[in-house]
Amino acid sequence: MRLTLRRPDDWHLHLRDGAALASVVRHTAWQFRRAIVMPNLKPPVTTTAAAAAYRERIRAALPAGSRFEPLMTLYLTDGTSPDEVKRARASGFVHAVKYYPAGATTNSDAGVQDLLKLHAVLATLEEIDLPLLVHGEVTDPAVDVFDREKVFIERVLASLVRRYPRLRLVFEHATTREAVDFVAAAGALVAATVTPQHLLLNRNALFRGGIRPHNYCLPVLKRERHREAVLAAATGGSAKFFLGTDSAPHAQSAKENDCGCAGVYSAHAAIELYAEAFDSVGKLDALEGFASVHGADFYRLPRNTDSITLIKEPWTPPGSYPFGDEVIVPFRANEPIAWRLAPEGG
Ligand code: DOR
Ligand code: ZN
Protein backbone atom coordinates (compact mmCIF):
# COMPACT_ATOMS: atom_id res chain seq x y z
CA MET A 1 0.00 0.00 0.00
CA ARG A 2 1.25 3.50 -0.89
CA LEU A 3 0.20 6.88 0.39
CA THR A 4 1.19 10.14 -1.31
CA LEU A 5 0.93 13.36 0.68
CA ARG A 6 1.80 17.00 0.30
CA ARG A 7 5.31 17.34 1.79
CA PRO A 8 5.02 17.77 5.59
CA ASP A 9 6.70 20.25 7.95
CA ASP A 10 7.83 19.71 11.54
CA TRP A 11 6.43 22.43 13.80
CA HIS A 12 8.58 21.54 16.86
CA LEU A 13 12.17 20.37 16.51
CA HIS A 14 15.47 20.42 18.44
CA LEU A 15 18.53 20.55 16.19
CA ARG A 16 21.26 21.43 18.76
CA ASP A 17 24.47 22.99 17.45
CA GLY A 18 27.99 22.21 16.24
CA ALA A 19 28.85 18.59 15.44
CA ALA A 20 25.53 17.34 16.87
CA LEU A 21 23.60 19.61 14.51
CA ALA A 22 25.57 18.34 11.55
CA SER A 23 24.75 14.75 12.55
CA VAL A 24 20.98 15.12 12.92
CA VAL A 25 19.76 17.79 10.50
CA ARG A 26 19.94 15.50 7.45
CA HIS A 27 17.24 13.25 8.95
CA THR A 28 14.76 16.11 9.20
CA ALA A 29 15.76 17.66 5.87
CA TRP A 30 15.08 14.38 4.05
CA GLN A 31 11.45 14.29 5.15
CA PHE A 32 10.33 17.83 5.86
CA ARG A 33 10.50 21.09 3.90
CA ARG A 34 10.50 23.29 7.03
CA ALA A 35 10.79 23.03 10.78
CA ILE A 36 10.23 25.32 13.73
CA VAL A 37 13.60 25.13 15.45
CA MET A 38 13.65 25.32 19.24
CA PRO A 39 15.96 27.92 20.84
CA ASN A 40 17.11 25.99 23.95
CA LEU A 41 20.81 26.00 23.11
CA LYS A 42 23.52 26.75 25.65
CA PRO A 43 23.32 29.76 25.89
CA PRO A 44 19.71 30.06 24.66
CA VAL A 45 18.77 31.95 21.50
CA THR A 46 17.30 35.08 23.08
CA THR A 47 17.87 37.69 20.37
CA THR A 48 17.08 38.10 16.69
CA ALA A 49 20.81 38.48 16.03
CA ALA A 50 21.52 35.12 17.72
CA ALA A 51 18.67 33.52 15.76
CA ALA A 52 20.15 34.84 12.49
CA ALA A 53 23.55 33.35 13.32
CA TYR A 54 22.01 30.01 14.37
CA ARG A 55 19.98 29.92 11.15
CA GLU A 56 23.17 30.31 9.12
CA ARG A 57 24.84 27.47 11.05
CA ILE A 58 21.86 25.22 10.33
CA ARG A 59 21.92 26.09 6.64
CA ALA A 60 25.66 25.42 6.47
CA ALA A 61 25.11 21.96 8.01
CA LEU A 62 22.50 20.88 5.41
CA PRO A 63 23.34 18.24 2.82
CA ALA A 64 24.26 19.72 -0.58
CA GLY A 65 21.20 20.65 -2.61
CA SER A 66 18.77 20.46 0.32
CA ARG A 67 15.76 22.76 0.11
CA PHE A 68 15.06 22.50 3.86
CA GLU A 69 14.18 25.80 5.53
CA PRO A 70 14.74 26.39 9.26
CA LEU A 71 12.07 28.59 10.87
CA MET A 72 13.57 30.27 13.89
CA THR A 73 12.25 31.00 17.39
CA LEU A 74 13.33 33.21 20.28
CA TYR A 75 13.71 31.94 23.81
CA LEU A 76 11.55 33.98 26.20
CA THR A 77 13.24 35.11 29.43
CA ASP A 78 12.20 37.39 32.27
CA GLY A 79 14.36 40.03 30.54
CA THR A 80 12.94 39.81 26.99
CA SER A 81 11.94 43.30 25.86
CA PRO A 82 9.02 44.31 23.65
CA ASP A 83 11.58 45.82 21.24
CA GLU A 84 13.33 42.46 20.89
CA VAL A 85 10.15 40.67 19.85
CA LYS A 86 9.36 43.51 17.45
CA ARG A 87 12.80 43.04 15.89
CA ALA A 88 12.07 39.31 15.66
CA ARG A 89 8.79 39.94 13.89
CA ALA A 90 10.43 42.41 11.46
CA SER A 91 13.22 39.92 10.62
CA GLY A 92 10.89 37.67 8.64
CA PHE A 93 12.80 34.56 9.75
CA VAL A 94 11.74 34.41 13.41
CA HIS A 95 8.31 32.84 13.46
CA ALA A 96 7.55 32.49 17.18
CA VAL A 97 8.70 32.99 20.76
CA LYS A 98 9.11 29.94 23.01
CA TYR A 99 8.11 29.88 26.66
CA TYR A 100 9.90 27.43 28.95
CA PRO A 101 9.08 27.51 32.64
CA ALA A 102 12.41 27.99 34.44
CA GLY A 103 13.89 24.60 35.25
CA ALA A 104 11.23 22.54 33.43
CA THR A 105 13.52 20.69 31.04
CA THR A 106 16.79 20.62 29.03
CA ASN A 107 18.57 24.02 29.07
CA SER A 108 15.61 25.82 30.63
CA ASP A 109 17.49 27.49 33.52
CA ALA A 110 17.07 30.84 31.78
CA GLY A 111 13.33 30.26 31.38
CA VAL A 112 10.51 32.33 32.81
CA GLN A 113 9.67 32.46 36.53
CA ASP A 114 6.07 33.70 36.18
CA LEU A 115 4.64 33.99 32.67
CA LEU A 116 1.63 36.05 33.69
CA LYS A 117 3.96 38.78 34.98
CA LEU A 118 5.41 39.44 31.51
CA HIS A 119 2.57 41.73 30.52
CA ALA A 120 4.48 44.11 28.23
CA VAL A 121 5.93 41.30 26.11
CA LEU A 122 2.69 39.30 25.95
CA ALA A 123 0.71 42.39 24.91
CA THR A 124 3.33 43.09 22.24
CA LEU A 125 3.18 39.53 20.89
CA GLU A 126 -0.58 39.91 20.67
CA GLU A 127 -0.28 43.27 18.93
CA ILE A 128 2.33 42.19 16.37
CA ASP A 129 0.71 38.75 15.95
CA LEU A 130 3.81 36.68 16.66
CA PRO A 131 2.87 33.25 18.06
CA LEU A 132 3.78 32.18 21.59
CA LEU A 133 4.82 28.53 21.84
CA VAL A 134 4.19 27.11 25.28
CA HIS A 135 5.89 24.32 27.19
CA GLY A 136 2.75 23.65 29.21
CA GLU A 137 3.96 22.29 32.52
CA VAL A 138 4.31 23.75 36.00
CA THR A 139 7.60 23.12 37.78
CA ASP A 140 6.23 23.25 41.33
CA PRO A 141 7.97 20.25 42.96
CA ALA A 142 4.84 19.62 45.04
CA VAL A 143 2.88 18.76 41.88
CA ASP A 144 3.04 15.13 40.75
CA VAL A 145 5.11 14.87 37.55
CA PHE A 146 2.20 13.21 35.70
CA ASP A 147 -0.14 16.13 36.63
CA ARG A 148 2.12 19.03 35.64
CA GLU A 149 0.41 19.65 32.32
CA LYS A 150 -3.10 19.60 33.77
CA VAL A 151 -2.09 21.95 36.61
CA PHE A 152 -0.44 24.33 34.13
CA ILE A 153 -3.75 24.64 32.29
CA GLU A 154 -5.56 25.43 35.53
CA ARG A 155 -2.99 27.80 37.03
CA VAL A 156 -1.57 29.60 33.98
CA LEU A 157 -3.03 28.82 30.57
CA ALA A 158 -6.67 29.53 31.31
CA SER A 159 -5.77 33.04 32.56
CA LEU A 160 -3.33 33.61 29.71
CA VAL A 161 -5.87 33.03 26.94
CA ARG A 162 -8.50 35.04 28.81
CA ARG A 163 -6.18 38.04 29.22
CA TYR A 164 -4.74 37.91 25.70
CA PRO A 165 -7.61 36.77 23.50
CA ARG A 166 -5.84 37.78 20.27
CA LEU A 167 -2.57 36.00 21.10
CA ARG A 168 -1.71 33.18 18.69
CA LEU A 169 -0.61 30.32 20.91
CA VAL A 170 0.62 26.76 20.37
CA PHE A 171 0.32 24.32 23.24
CA GLU A 172 3.44 22.30 22.41
CA HIS A 173 3.58 18.51 22.75
CA ALA A 174 0.09 18.02 24.19
CA THR A 175 0.06 14.82 26.23
CA THR A 176 -3.21 14.74 28.19
CA ARG A 177 -6.94 14.65 27.69
CA GLU A 178 -7.14 17.95 29.59
CA ALA A 179 -4.74 19.63 27.13
CA VAL A 180 -6.48 18.47 23.95
CA ASP A 181 -9.89 19.31 25.42
CA PHE A 182 -8.68 22.79 26.38
CA VAL A 183 -7.26 23.44 22.91
CA ALA A 184 -10.34 22.08 21.15
CA ALA A 185 -12.61 24.34 23.22
CA ALA A 186 -10.45 27.47 22.88
CA GLY A 187 -10.72 29.99 20.03
CA ALA A 188 -9.21 29.48 16.59
CA LEU A 189 -5.93 31.17 17.60
CA VAL A 190 -5.05 28.36 20.03
CA ALA A 191 -3.55 25.20 18.52
CA ALA A 192 -1.39 22.26 19.65
CA THR A 193 1.42 20.10 18.37
CA VAL A 194 1.56 16.37 19.02
CA THR A 195 4.65 14.12 19.07
CA PRO A 196 4.86 10.59 17.65
CA GLN A 197 5.77 9.05 21.00
CA HIS A 198 2.69 10.47 22.72
CA LEU A 199 0.52 8.94 19.96
CA LEU A 200 2.18 5.54 20.07
CA LEU A 201 3.16 4.93 23.70
CA ASN A 202 1.68 5.18 27.15
CA ARG A 203 3.69 5.38 30.36
CA ASN A 204 4.09 1.62 30.61
CA ALA A 205 6.70 2.03 27.87
CA LEU A 206 8.98 3.68 30.43
CA PHE A 207 9.16 0.46 32.43
CA ARG A 208 8.82 -2.37 29.88
CA GLY A 209 11.01 -5.14 31.38
CA GLY A 210 13.18 -2.51 33.14
CA ILE A 211 13.73 1.23 32.98
CA ARG A 212 13.73 2.60 29.42
CA PRO A 213 15.62 5.88 29.24
CA HIS A 214 15.10 6.27 25.49
CA ASN A 215 11.34 6.59 26.01
CA TYR A 216 11.81 9.35 28.60
CA CYS A 217 10.90 12.85 27.49
CA LEU A 218 9.14 15.88 28.95
CA PRO A 219 6.25 16.11 29.25
CA VAL A 220 6.55 12.49 30.34
CA LEU A 221 4.42 9.75 28.72
CA LYS A 222 0.97 9.48 30.28
CA ARG A 223 -1.64 6.78 30.96
CA GLU A 224 -3.45 4.97 28.15
CA ARG A 225 -6.63 7.04 28.44
CA HIS A 226 -4.60 10.17 27.73
CA ARG A 227 -2.83 8.57 24.76
CA GLU A 228 -6.25 7.65 23.34
CA ALA A 229 -7.54 11.20 23.77
CA VAL A 230 -4.44 12.73 22.13
CA LEU A 231 -4.63 10.23 19.25
CA ALA A 232 -8.33 11.00 18.73
CA ALA A 233 -7.56 14.75 18.65
CA ALA A 234 -4.65 14.41 16.21
CA THR A 235 -6.54 12.11 13.84
CA GLY A 236 -9.90 13.89 14.13
CA GLY A 237 -9.34 16.36 11.29
CA SER A 238 -9.35 19.56 13.38
CA ALA A 239 -7.08 22.32 12.06
CA LYS A 240 -6.02 23.01 15.66
CA PHE A 241 -3.77 19.95 15.83
CA PHE A 242 -0.61 19.53 13.83
CA LEU A 243 2.68 17.70 13.61
CA GLY A 244 5.55 18.63 15.93
CA THR A 245 7.97 15.80 16.60
CA ASP A 246 9.85 17.35 19.53
CA SER A 247 12.70 15.18 18.27
CA ALA A 248 15.28 15.96 20.96
CA PRO A 249 18.64 14.25 20.52
CA HIS A 250 20.89 13.44 23.46
CA ALA A 251 24.01 11.27 23.27
CA GLN A 252 23.52 7.68 24.43
CA SER A 253 25.82 8.38 27.39
CA ALA A 254 23.61 11.27 28.52
CA LYS A 255 20.45 9.14 28.34
CA GLU A 256 21.84 5.93 29.88
CA ASN A 257 23.01 7.78 32.93
CA ASP A 258 22.37 8.07 36.67
CA CYS A 259 20.48 11.30 35.82
CA GLY A 260 19.36 10.69 32.24
CA CYS A 261 18.32 13.59 30.00
CA ALA A 262 14.76 14.01 28.73
CA GLY A 263 14.23 13.68 25.00
CA VAL A 264 13.19 11.16 22.35
CA TYR A 265 15.00 11.19 19.02
CA SER A 266 12.46 10.57 16.24
CA ALA A 267 13.74 12.62 13.29
CA HIS A 268 15.06 9.52 11.49
CA ALA A 269 11.54 8.09 11.10
CA ALA A 270 9.14 10.86 11.99
CA ILE A 271 6.54 10.75 9.23
CA GLU A 272 6.62 6.93 9.24
CA LEU A 273 5.82 6.87 12.98
CA TYR A 274 2.89 9.24 12.51
CA ALA A 275 1.66 7.07 9.60
CA GLU A 276 1.75 4.05 11.91
CA ALA A 277 -0.22 5.90 14.58
CA PHE A 278 -2.88 7.16 12.14
CA ASP A 279 -3.10 3.72 10.49
CA SER A 280 -3.69 2.11 13.92
CA VAL A 281 -7.09 3.84 14.08
CA GLY A 282 -7.93 3.69 10.36
CA LYS A 283 -7.36 7.44 9.92
CA LEU A 284 -4.66 7.62 7.25
CA ASP A 285 -6.90 10.00 5.33
CA ALA A 286 -6.40 12.58 8.11
CA LEU A 287 -2.60 12.40 8.02
CA GLU A 288 -2.07 14.99 5.30
CA GLY A 289 -4.05 17.69 7.11
CA PHE A 290 -2.19 17.06 10.36
CA ALA A 291 1.27 16.75 8.81
CA SER A 292 1.20 19.13 5.85
CA VAL A 293 -1.67 21.62 6.02
CA HIS A 294 -2.83 22.71 9.49
CA GLY A 295 0.57 23.92 10.71
CA ALA A 296 1.34 25.97 7.61
CA ASP A 297 -2.09 27.57 7.80
CA PHE A 298 -1.68 28.38 11.50
CA TYR A 299 1.72 30.02 10.91
CA ARG A 300 0.31 31.78 7.82
CA LEU A 301 2.94 30.28 5.57
CA PRO A 302 2.32 28.79 2.14
CA ARG A 303 1.53 25.09 2.01
CA ASN A 304 4.26 23.03 0.40
CA THR A 305 3.61 22.16 -3.22
CA ASP A 306 5.65 18.98 -3.71
CA SER A 307 4.85 15.57 -2.24
CA ILE A 308 6.27 12.51 -0.52
CA THR A 309 5.24 8.87 -0.79
CA LEU A 310 4.94 6.44 2.10
CA ILE A 311 4.95 2.68 1.56
CA LYS A 312 3.49 0.16 3.99
CA GLU A 313 6.59 -1.96 4.18
CA PRO A 314 8.44 -2.65 7.45
CA TRP A 315 12.01 -1.52 8.07
CA THR A 316 14.13 -1.51 11.19
CA PRO A 317 16.09 1.52 12.41
CA PRO A 318 19.66 0.75 13.53
CA GLY A 319 20.71 0.56 17.18
CA SER A 320 22.39 3.94 16.90
CA TYR A 321 23.30 6.82 14.62
CA PRO A 322 26.45 8.98 14.80
CA PHE A 323 26.04 12.10 16.96
CA GLY A 324 29.13 14.31 16.89
CA ASP A 325 31.86 12.22 18.57
CA GLU A 326 29.22 10.07 20.25
CA VAL A 327 26.16 8.10 19.19
CA ILE A 328 22.45 8.53 19.60
CA VAL A 329 19.87 5.77 20.13
CA PRO A 330 16.83 6.49 17.95
CA PHE A 331 13.18 5.79 18.73
CA ARG A 332 12.36 2.14 17.82
CA ALA A 333 16.05 1.21 17.61
CA ASN A 334 16.27 -2.39 16.35
CA GLU A 335 12.46 -2.68 16.27
CA PRO A 336 10.42 -2.62 13.05
CA ILE A 337 8.35 0.36 11.89
CA ALA A 338 5.40 -0.52 9.63
CA TRP A 339 5.77 2.32 7.13
CA ARG A 340 8.71 3.70 5.23
CA LEU A 341 9.34 6.83 3.23
CA ALA A 342 9.98 6.11 -0.45
CA PRO A 343 13.21 7.52 -1.88
CA GLU A 344 12.74 10.75 -3.85
CA GLY A 345 10.82 9.94 -7.01
CA GLY A 346 10.09 6.41 -5.66
O1 DOR B 1 12.03 15.82 26.42
C1 DOR B 1 12.34 16.97 26.13
N1 DOR B 1 13.52 17.26 25.57
N2 DOR B 1 11.49 17.94 26.43
C2 DOR B 1 11.81 19.23 26.29
O2 DOR B 1 10.99 20.07 26.59
C3 DOR B 1 13.17 19.62 25.85
C4 DOR B 1 13.79 18.56 25.07
C5 DOR B 1 15.27 18.75 24.86
O3 DOR B 1 15.67 19.84 24.44
O4 DOR B 1 16.04 17.80 25.08
ZN1 ZN C 1 10.77 20.48 22.63
Side-chain angles (χ1 to χ4, degrees), residues 12 14 38 98 100 173 246:
H12 184 134
H14 298 269
M38 290 295 139
K98 176 70 187 279
Y100 286 101
H173 39 56
D246 199 14

Side-chain angles (χ1 to χ4, degrees), residues 105 119 149 200 220 232-233 236 274 286 291 310 312 319:
T105 186
H119 172 68
E149 189 172 279
L200 290 164
V220 72
Y274 285 107
L310 287 157
K312 193 163 185 179

Side-chain angles (χ1 to χ4, degrees), residues 14 16 40 105-106 135 217-218 246 248 250 262-263:
H14 298 269
R16 314 306 189 204
N40 62 330
T105 186
T106 307
H135 183 112
C217 64
L218 288 171
D246 199 14
H250 291 277

Side-chain angles (χ1 to χ4, degrees), residues 212-250:
R212 297 290 184 159
H214 300 291
N215 290 337
Y216 171 58
C217 64
L218 288 171
V220 72
L221 295 171
K222 302 298 192 299
R223 313 179 157 266
E224 178 62 7
R225 72 181 176 84
H226 291 296
R227 187 192 72 86
E228 288 168 0
V230 173
L231 182 60
T235 60
S238 162
K240 286 170 160 278
F241 297 96
F242 45 84
L243 186 158
T245 61
D246 199 14
S247 179
H250 291 277

